[in-house]
Amino acid sequence: ACSGGASPSTSGNASGGTAVKGGTVTVLQTTDFSYLDPARGFDGGVNAFYRLVYRTLITKAANDAADPNAMVPDLAEGLGQVSADGLTWTYKIKDGVKFDTGAPITAQDVKFGISRAWDPEIGIGAPYLRQLLATPATYQGPYQSGENPAIETPDDKTVVFKLKAPFPEFDAVLSMPSAVPFPVGTGAGTTFINDIVASGPYDLDTFTPGSTIKLKRNPNWDAATDTERKAYPDAWNFAIGIDGATIDERLIAGQGADVNAMAGSVQTATIARLQTPQLQDRVVKAPSTCLTYVGLNTSKKNLSDVRVRQAINLAVDKTSLLNATGGNQFATIASTIIPSNVSGHADYDLYPSTGNTGDIEKAKALLTEAGLPNGFTLTLDIRTRPVAQAQGEAIQQSLKRVGIDVKLNVIDAATYYETIATPSQQHDAAITGWCPDWASSASTFLPPLFDGRQITDKGNQNLAQLNDVTVNAEIDRIKALTDLAEANKAWGELDQKIMELAPVVPVNVENRIYLPGSNVAGLVAPQGDQDYAIIGLKDASKG
Amino acid sequence: MSISSTELEAAGAPDTGALVAAPDPRRSVWHVLLRDPSAIACLTYIGIVVLMALFAPLIVRVSGWGPYDFDQTAIDPNLGGIPLGPAGGISAEHWLGVEPQSGRDIFARIVYGARASMLIAVSATALTTVLGVVFGLLAGYFGGRTDMVISRLMEFLMAFPALIFMIAVLSALPADNRQYLLVLVISVFGWPYLARIVRAQTMSLKQREFVEAALASGASRTRLVFTEILPNLRSTILVMVTLAVPGYIGTEAGLSFLGVGVVPPTPSWGQMISSSVGWYSVVPSYFLVPGTFLALLVLSFMVLGDRVRSAVDPGGR
Amino acid sequence: MSLLRVNGLTVKFGDTTVVDGLGFELPKGGSLGIVGESGSGKSMTSLAVMDLLPKGARRTGSIVFDGIELRGLPERRMRTIRGDRIAMIFQDPLSSLNPYYTVGTQIAEAYRSHRSGVSRRAARRVAIEAMERVHIKEAGRRVDDYPHQFSGGMRQRVMIAMALSTEPELIIADEPTTALDVTVQAQILDLLAEVRRDTGAALIMITHDLAVVSEVADTVVVMRYGDVVETGTTEQIFSDPRHPYTQALLDAVPRIDDTIGDLRTLGGHP
Amino acid sequence: MTRYLVHRVLGMLFVLFMVCLFTYMVFFLLSPDPAVQICGKTCTPERIDQIRANLGLDDPFLAQFLHFLQGLFTGRDYGAVHCSAPCLGYSFQSSQVVTDMIVQRLPVTAVVAVGAAVLWLLAGVIGGLISAVREGRFADRFITALTLGGMSVPNYVLALALQYVFVVQLQWLPFPQAVPFADDPAQWFLNFILPWTVLAVGYASSYTRLTRANVIDTLSENFVRTARAKGLRPHLVWRRHALRPALTPIVTIAGMDFAGLLGGALITETVFGINGVGKLAADSITKNDQPVIMAVTLLAAFFVVVGNMAVDLLYSAIDPRVRAGATS
Amino acid sequence: MTGELLLSVRDLVKQFPVAGTAGLFTPAKLFTAVDGVSFDLHAGQTLALVGESGSGKSTTARLAARLLDVTSGSIQLDGQDVTTRKGKDLAGVRRTVQVVFQDPFSSLNPRHTVERIVTAPLLYQQRDIPGGSRDFTRSLLDRVGLNPDWLDRYPAQFSGGQAQRIGIARALAIGPRVLVCDEAVSALDVSVQAQIINLLRDLQAEEGFGCLFIAHDLAVVRQIATSVAVMTAGKIVEAGERDAVFGDPKHEYTRRLLAAVPRIRPEWEAARRAKAAAR
Ligand SMILES: Nc1ncnc2c1ncn2[C@@H]1O[C@H](COP(=O)(O)OP(=O)(O)OP(=O)(O)O)[C@@H](O)[C@H]1O
Ligand SMILES: Nc1ncnc2c1ncn2[C@@H]1O[C@H](COP(=O)(O)OP(=O)(O)OP(=O)(O)O)[C@@H](O)[C@H]1O
Ligand SMILES: [Mg+2]
Ligand SMILES: [Mg+2]
Ligand code: NI
């Protein structure tokens, strides 16, 4: 149940005022963007940046749209035309869309840009295109293998995609960064590491890795062709490498040009300082689409017993975990797998307890039933990040109450995901999180985490190693549904079925708490992430 | 014809007893230290910390909260989990306040943290000292090829950017026995600094005639090194040790700050500081308490080192 | 008229008295020898005259130099006397010369600090002249050498040249030859005598070598445990010592031309 | 002299080679498969194999090490990317040639190091001199207490404290911002004041103590007594005769410390968000970007070794005794 | 000579490499510190080596005591060639030859008690200590004229002359037959010097060891030596009975050395003697 949190639409309040054209918005951030090349990067942070400089055939609706989860045409004139067998998708490109070079964006450019995803070194970004398109396994990207046979360009304006199997949500796949078009022949090797070819409203001005990225307007972007991007500011300045606490200090102080600054979510410690009315006015609280959960490795001795997993679900003190995460402003306790603002969410709680502090009696009973009245020892993998450690300690404390002795295994943040995604190195349990690639359905939420047939030796996302025939069958069934609403309802039901097997402990859904500068307008984040394309300054002459 | 001793006394011969006042080298350091108020203050503080570390479980029983016990009633879930009450939740129940987000008792964690911090610093110092003294002695005394090899090794180790390397290695290694790894890594990179000094001292001691005298007395080289030269390095080693301990306490804290220190939930002072830096403006006491304990400990060792140095070598430095 | 008169000079380190009510007198152009065994306070006496006592030392008593009472003289005025009117030569010439500067610089420095408006070049000429006066060959070239490039005897010559560059009225030599070989010692003593003949400077020679004193001094002060045990003309001290200590000391000196026999010691179990 | 030089250079090369070998070995053994990292979140075994072959990661250890060494002198190719000599490797995390990454950041680190070195040398030498000539008096005690404090406070604590006081509370200094010198020299300078100070405090403390000890030692040297006996003014005695010899060992250590800093001031750069080599190292460590960590380690070792040698040569230039010994 | 031949040294040469002269491919230049020195030492005899500083006296003494390896030449101890012995084989030499060093403080380990210092040769040579360590030390201290109760003291608690006596006690602990005294009295005051010289003379009379006495002070040498060898620049330029050398120096250098010695005017001396005798 969404016990602690308000419903998503009301909590996703926007920063007040309306944006005008002009000025420079500064974004303060701690870490550098992963890659400027959209074929490589696809994390939440860089996706928001890509939206300023790149366009794709389809894109997610603007954050201030009626349905911000929806998929809308961007370079394409409309959503995809699917063939009856569901294997061929056809798109028409709008007139007047150009690269920053002034060259029009053609079907060949779309094909070329997408084909880059097959290059073994470049195409390390979003995987869906590679998984879905009927491209031969030997294809090595445009630089090595030339044309991609799965994409056809009958004319300059038409792109046709051939799929291996039907995928009703193919439009969403084309909204991924790896679908960005590039002029044919560009971007080999490391070219786009330090440079870009812009198709969006902004173009790279200066770039100092690890330090600054400045964007200026792309004169060849025509607002008339773009319904989703407002592109209010004349320039963007991304200041990188600033300590998180310093960012918060600057935003709170709001000195000089910092009134035009914004940043990612504030630090936990900062929340207590945001209680003044002036600051409260600026705060934007945005529940994310990401679930923090504990994966219980069902292939391990004690955890293979569903009663033990249920007992753990009952015993965990989600309130102390919530506090360890940052308290109820910073997160919302989760009882389901699909977070509330991802389409398909259904409300239920199979393992309730008073105050969400855990039901020790029931848990003990289940453990006794499972033949473990004195508990057992469990190794929990955690990242070196402070939050993860705090969460691990909270789990350790709460499971101690039912006799389960939790050993914390700290793994370096850099190798954490790799380690737990390798079944041979994975321990009993792990704290991790999952965000859907698109929030318009749960198809990127449940299948990657619980499809038993996707368990691999390396890069395994099914941490629970759950391989349940009925779950697998249900996944196949829902994926084939072409009616999105129907599918979403089915995902919600599947969510509950999976939780009956208790392969994971849903912990909480983090909120993002943004504190934009007082002159920044248009910050709306219904799914947690910011949409730079609709942000601007209230007064362009300030700062 | 010689002058009688009475005449000598008449001429004002000093009583031979006056010479007895010359210090007994074994006791003088203690004597000097125990007469120095600042040294006593430092020793007292160090003593308290050591006692805290030794009797942590007993102390915690008295104070009522264990270092790992969560106390949800002491924190405010609405404000990011900051401690309830003024000054970081300092109260009769939680003597030094509580940790934000978990409500763990800071006093208990300080007491247990002293364990980890002291253990690491002291064992690293012990290990470095053994390595440094043995290698320094060998290089300094035998010279030639032995010196060449050891000096190259030291140069090699000192050329490493120790911090970068330590972090890289520690973060890549499994965290299971982090404490031992910390000690090992710190020592491996730390001993050359002591060895260099021991080597130089040995080289100059080697020139002293008593070494030649021992040789002429028929001492073997090993005995010579360990029974004639080593005792003369005592004051150097003593000073180095008192200066090494705060250094390693700092190193441990720094490594913990950078996220490669002791593994949770074990507290160490460095770990406590590192987790509190983000809160310094919101819950200052959370940051100040371990910070003060640490800075005072380091300061105490430094001052003590200083005093020891002037006690063993009243002439200069 | 006396050039230097010391009266009731006492030097204390805390509670220990190292020079105790010492007094002596030295006429212009005269030479005084201070003898006594190690630790008897000879060096402290000379440093007390120069106001160069180490930290922690306190002096009382009176020191009158050419009619000026040196005790209580402000440091600024003392500086004008030090090195200019009274110059000092120390025992160990290597450690007494700064290894980082050429000998020329160091000699010139002494000169320039007392003669205002002297150009570097002029001071250098003075340094070369001073070096020539102490018989350093090729002084013009060696003036740019560093102390370690000289032998022990040469270094002591440099020290003397430094002392002479300002033509002082009084030279205090604190064991100037102890670190040197007998042959070199003889040369240096000759040189000192020569210099005094030329400039008429008075000399205080501090040493524990009685034979050296007998060759150099007109008057001798014998010290023991910070006290003067006997003062007299050289002839009187050596031919007719009054105090038993002086007698014992003279007995203990091994002589190159004396009969062989038991050396007289100062007796007793040391 | 030539023999000495040749010996030194050979020794230096040997140490650098050992550092290379050891670092490479450690990271070779500890490192998780770089190919997996390159391959990203979603990856197939075939792609991993392909990347391994492309980057020469499937060669045995020795071959890889030789390639690395060779790259240092002749450059090498990583797939389609060329890395010209001296090639320090290819970052798998950011797909950049490491040499470029370092070249970009080294000037920043140099600015940090030079500024801090100037500060700490000035403060250390002046403080030490004052402390020494006023030994036991109030000024000495005060300075000694300061230095002990300066050495006891961890620099990250100091950094945060100074930032809180001077930037947040008093607003005397702006929040650090990456401004190129050419754009706004004043702002550029203000940005560096805190990092310089924080870095300098620790060093200045130990330099003060060192200078003090050395000056006290030289003050008791006979030649200082000689200088005083010449009637020199006290400031001349202290400056020329006491300080100069006392500085020789300090120059030696300063050279090494400065060289060490060129390898990056990890904590300070991280806390103040200065985009230098130290921050690069810290970032690479959190990203487990082995080639970059390795390159930074090597670079730092290189600076230390070269600095060491430079100091040795400098030493013979500033100490006439050594000078004569070396040239004869 | 009076007693049996103990030590016989022939054509001793010692060369040291000169620092900083080594070329890249050429070895360092060699400096010959001792250049063809020969002498014999008999029991009961005191052979003095004199000469200016740096003439190679100490080096000769160290070679003779086998503390340094020779470059060439031979050393015979008790008729046995010990020139090239090394390590354990040197035990015989250590048992026969003992050394008293110049600086009394530098030659005593400041961290050891008198007892430990004095019994060190026995300890190192793994010999039994006759009558137990404490009693043995007491008797030894008594022999060199020190208070036997001081055996638990440290060197810093003694004066120079006392410390030098401890050094002598140590050398005597194993009853050596050759005693090498390298400037054993140079660091001492005249009065103390006289005591030590007397002590050495007395001990030699009792025990009959041969003594190689190094000094640069000719006056001291004249008091103690039976024969004298004058060294300059690594060579012995003149050797012979004491009175022969002092009374009728043959070599130019010896004459220069003698002439340079400062003297108290003989007439003053005579006057003093006369007065003293009268008292
Ligand atoms: N800094 C000091 N503190 C305390 N006592 C000192 C200090 N310097 C010298 N003394 C003492 O003062 C006494 C006289 O010393 P001084 O140097 O004058 O003797 P000296 O006659 O010159 O002896 P030497 O022949 O060895 O040079 C000695 O007993 C010495 O121990
Ligand atoms: N280990 C060594 N290495 C190089 N040269 C040495 C060494 N030992 C002695 N020498 C040189 O050999 C020469 C003779 O030295 P030695 O010590 O025997 O002289 P000495 O006659 O004892 O002089 P002094 O009277 O000063 O003690 C000197 O020039 C000295 O510099
Ligand atoms: Mg003296
Ligand atoms: Mg000698
Ligand atoms: Ni809900």
Side-chain angles (χ1 to χ4, degrees), chain E residues 126-147:
Chain E
Q126 280 144 20
R127 296 212 233 165
D128 289 334
I129 302 175
S133 165
R134 293 190 78 79
D135 286 344
F136 177 77
T137 310
R138 283 170 170 280
S139 68
L140 210 52
L141 288 185
D142 192 49
R143 248 187 36 233
V144 296
L146 286 175
N147 186 340

Side-chain angles (χ1 to χ4, degrees), chain C residues 42-43 91 174-175 206:
Chain C
K42 307 182 296 289
S43 296
Q91 166 174 7
D174 188 359
E175 319 222 19
I206 296 171

Side-chain angles (χ1 to χ4, degrees), chain D residues 38-311:
Chain D
I38 290 189
C39 201
K41 257 199 208 167
T42 47
C43 201
T44 56
E46 302 83 65
R47 277 170 76 91
I48 294 181
D49 288 345
Q50 203 170 21
I51 294 170
R52 291 176 67 91
N54 232 343
L55 302 180
L57 291 169
D58 47 1
D59 292 341
F61 169 73
L62 232 97
Q64 283 196 43
F65 180 62
L66 286 179
H67 279 152
F68 175 79
L69 281 189
Q70 202 187 352
L72 279 179
F73 297 101
T74 62
R76 65 187 284 203
D77 288 311
Y78 289 95
V81 184
H82 179 70
C83 167
S84 49
C87 177
L88 286 167
Y90 178 70
S91 160
F92 303 131
Q93 289 286 355
S94 67
S95 308
Q96 268 180 297
V97 170
V98 178
T99 324
D100 294 347
M101 300 172 81
I102 285 179
V103 164
Q104 211 158 39
R105 282 152 173 103
L106 201 54
V108 182
T109 294
V111 168
V112 173
V114 169
V118 168
L119 258 184
W120 91 57
L121 276 175
L122 279 180
V125 168
I126 295 173
L129 185 61
I130 293 175
S131 198
V133 300
R134 291 265 173 272
E135 193 191 348
R137 309 240 209 111
F138 174 75
D140 179 29
R141 280 155 196 264
F142 182 72
I143 290 175
T144 304
L146 271 189
T147 58
L148 282 170
M151 289 163 79
S152 307
V153 180
N155 56 359
Y156 45 92
V157 173
L158 185 72
L160 291 171
L162 288 184
Q163 174 155 321
Y164 187 70
V165 173
F166 291 104
V167 180
V168 177
Q169 290 298 324
L170 299 174
Q171 305 195 355
W172 288 357
L173 293 169
F175 281 104
Q177 259 149 29
V179 182
F181 179 75
D183 286 9
D184 186 350
Q187 167 76 24
W188 176 89
F189 184 79
L190 290 179
N191 270 339
F192 280 108
I193 289 183
L194 278 186
W196 281 337
T197 314
V198 167
L199 263 186
V201 162
Y203 286 109
S205 301
S206 53
Y207 278 60
T208 305
R209 292 165 66 80
L210 197 66
T211 309
R212 176 181 181 274
N214 283 346
V215 171
I216 287 176
D217 268 6
T218 31
L219 277 178
S220 67
E221 288 278 0
N222 286 342
F223 57 76
V224 172
R225 193 177 57 185
T226 310
R228 293 178 64 205
K230 280 192 271 193
L232 292 192
R233 267 175 258 279
H235 76 91
L236 271 183
V237 175
W238 293 332
R239 217 182 55 218
R240 299 187 56 162
H241 289 275
L243 192 56
R244 168 85 197 268
L247 280 186
T248 314
I250 290 171
V251 168
T252 317
I253 297 171
M256 301 245 325
D257 284 343
F258 178 70
L261 263 193
L262 282 181
L266 205 76
I267 291 177
T268 310
E269 286 183 10
T270 310
V271 172
F272 289 111
I274 296 167
N275 191 30
V277 178
K279 179 123 194 312
L280 180 65
D283 289 348
S284 318
I285 290 169
T286 47
K287 284 195 238 155
N288 205 17
D289 198 350
Q290 303 290 5
V292 182
I293 305 174
M294 168 124 178
V296 174
T297 309
L298 280 185
L299 183 81
F302 174 78
F303 280 128
V304 169
V305 174
V306 170
N308 219 338
M309 190 172 109
V311 156

Side-chain angles (χ1 to χ4, degrees), chain B residues 20 210 212 215 228 232, chain E residues 62 94 106 109 124 153-154:
Chain B
V20 183
F210 70 80
E212 211 171 10
L215 202 60
E228 297 279 341
N232 285 286
Chain E
R62 286 201 174 84
R94 302 287 177 244
S106 158
N109 193 330
Y124 289 144
R153 288 193 179 185
Y154 287 87

